[in-house]
Amino acid sequence: MFVELLVHGPLSRAETARRLALSPSALTKLTKPLIEGGYLLYQPTEERPALGRPSQPLAVNASRMSLIGVKLTSDEMFAVRTDLRGQIQREVRRELRSHEVDHVVAEIADAVRELSLPVTPPSAVGISLAGTASAGDPIVHTSPFLGWNDVPIGNIVAAATGLPTIVENDVRALTAAQQWFGAGVGRHSFALVTVGAGIGCGLVIGDQVVRSPGRGTGLVGHLAVDNNGPLCEMGHRGCARAYASSAAIQRSIAAALGRPDLTFDQCLALGREQQPAAARVFQEAGRALGRVVATVANITGVELVILSGEAVQMFDVCADAFDAALAEHTHWTSTPVEVVVKPFTFSEWARGAAVAALQYQILGA
């Protein structure tokens, strides 16, 4: 009931009871302790009915709790403090000068202290990173960007901060934020595909974020696209990552133009200017990404795919190639896939970590 009001509220008591198939007395029994505890509030109404008792909508008191979300990259840490509805209240950004666990934990603990003052302490910490991690398991089993294997970072941060700490794969954490407070609200199933340093996929099926403790899920980056294509860093020929990751795009354009100093943003500018080599590389990236999205939709049956990630701004350069590949590879019996493009900053990834912690606090999974 609390989740229904958190995600879809404010709702009248009648509408809340209807959505949850509860009797008025059962709803009263459930809401009473939450109202007394300050987690639910009655919203004022401007209009009163001519007859009968006024119906005041119920809403979650977003200020009743706060959470800290932390996103780790290979060289930076982004941390935010959010309220119960995932709204960012404050944020900090720190350089990671080392991948040593003690250094990273010290930076996280310092950020938590900074974000905790001068208000009440947060209720939990969420940490997201690229790698094999899942809420409920404090161990990061693998994180290639940080060079970690079997690091119990959740337990270590909990000891350093005195706060419950969950660790989650960054794409799944971002998916959780979209499920409760983003483009996925109201959708029982959807997929989130991210493109950046890698290509990832998060899934919500039947109102549940798909997780596999201790194992990876949504590993679509090395999906085969063309057996005659370029090599990725793992030696796979023609996989999606070899075409559509920011590093692959940068590498291909720099090699074609003989300009090894080119950044991804400079490559993107060349693509927008329709420089021939850059335009072709982005078209190939768009085709690869469209094939990934079609494959995800074909396998899962989702009708909405949210496209995001730090390199998603390339979509306006390769949209036509993406759309053509999506149409070509989507199964002919399927409903056309709705694609929503959502550019996000790294603060949004940190917000995802906070929402993942919130989900675990409420749902226990």
Side-chain angles (χ1 to χ4, degrees):
M1 181 273 299
F2 184 79
V3 172
E4 191 72 19
L5 288 167
L6 180 66
V7 176
H8 301 288
L11 297 172
S12 68
R13 295 178 67 89
E15 176 62 13
T16 305
R18 185 193 67 79
R19 285 171 174 252
L20 300 174
L22 294 171
S23 67
S25 60
L27 182 65
T28 297
K29 185 176 181 180
L30 288 172
T31 57
K32 184 178 179 181
L34 293 171
I35 293 170
E36 291 175 348
Y39 290 92
L40 293 182
L41 301 170
Y42 284 112
Q43 293 285 94
T45 55
E46 295 181 0
E47 298 181 4
R48 287 178 171 270
L51 299 172
R53 295 175 59 187
S55 176
Q56 290 182 292
L58 280 169
V60 169
N61 179 9
S63 64
R64 183 62 177 79
M65 276 176 55
S66 64
L67 303 107
I68 302 293
V70 176
K71 159 67 173 172
L72 299 175
T73 72
S74 62
D75 53 6
E76 288 186 283
M77 178 200 69
F78 300 81
V80 299
R81 181 186 179 113
T82 75
D83 64 15
L84 261 176
R85 293 187 59 81
Q87 293 297 309
I88 296 176
Q89 299 168 325
R90 293 176 61 197
E91 57 186 88
V92 297
R93 178 176 179 173
R94 301 276 174 80
E95 179 185 359
L96 289 182
R97 297 182 302 278
S98 167
H99 293 166
E100 291 294 325
V101 175
D102 288 347
H103 171 71
V104 175
V105 170
E107 291 291 345
I108 292 173
D110 189 56
V112 170
R113 282 191 293 272
E114 181 177 338
L115 292 169
S116 298
L117 298 174
V119 290
T120 56
S123 298
V125 176
I127 300 170
S128 75
L129 72 171
T132 308
S134 185
D137 182 353
I139 298 173
V140 173
H141 294 277
T142 59
S143 181
F145 291 126
L146 294 171
W148 289 358
N149 289 287
D150 296 325
V151 175
I153 191 71
N155 291 338
I156 301 172
V157 170
T161 62
L163 295 170
T165 301
I166 72 100
V167 187
E168 181 61 281
N169 169 268
D170 55 357
V171 177
R172 278 199 298 273
L174 190 59
T175 302
Q178 288 300 294
Q179 179 193 22
W180 276 15
F181 306 118
V185 171
R187 303 282 189 143
H188 297 297
S189 300
F190 69 90
L192 170 76
V193 174
T194 59
V195 57
I199 299 173
C201 177
L203 291 171
V204 170
I205 303 294
D207 293 317
Q208 299 291 322
V209 177
V210 176
R211 293 183 173 91
S212 179
R215 294 179 58 82
T217 56
L219 302 178
V220 298
H222 297 287
L223 180 73
V225 172
D226 184 347
N227 290 335
N228 297 314
L231 292 173
C232 76
E233 70 281 5
M234 297 299 295
H236 303 145
R237 184 167 293 283
C239 68
R241 185 169 174 139
Y243 282 106
S245 69
S246 54
I249 291 170
Q250 178 184 352
R251 186 166 55 247
S252 295
I253 295 175
L257 299 180
R259 295 178 56 185
D261 59 322
L262 280 177
T263 66
F264 178 77
D265 286 342
Q266 290 171 328
C267 291
L268 187 60
L270 291 171
R272 287 175 173 149
E273 294 165 5
Q274 289 297 299
Q275 195 285 329
R280 170 129 186 210
V281 170
F282 278 109
Q283 287 168 7
E284 292 176 345
R287 282 194 290 270
L289 199 55
R291 185 162 184 170
V292 168
V293 170
T295 301
V296 169
N298 289 342
I299 293 172
T300 64
V302 298
E303 296 181 3
L304 169 68
V305 175
I306 303 166
L307 196 60
S308 189
E310 64 269 26
V312 77
Q313 63 266 37
M314 75 179 188
F315 187 80
D316 62 343
V317 182
C318 64
D320 289 343
F322 173 90
D323 290 341
L326 178 62
E328 178 184 355
H329 295 288
T330 298
H331 194 274
W332 62 274
T333 64
S334 300
T335 303
V337 182
E338 178 187 356
V339 177
V340 175
V341 180
K342 289 283 187 181
F344 288 136
T345 65
F346 276 106
S347 294
E348 187 68 18
W349 291 84
R351 174 179 178 253
V355 175
L358 175 63
Q359 286 193 346
Y360 192 78
Q361 289 282 98
I362 294 174
L363 304 176

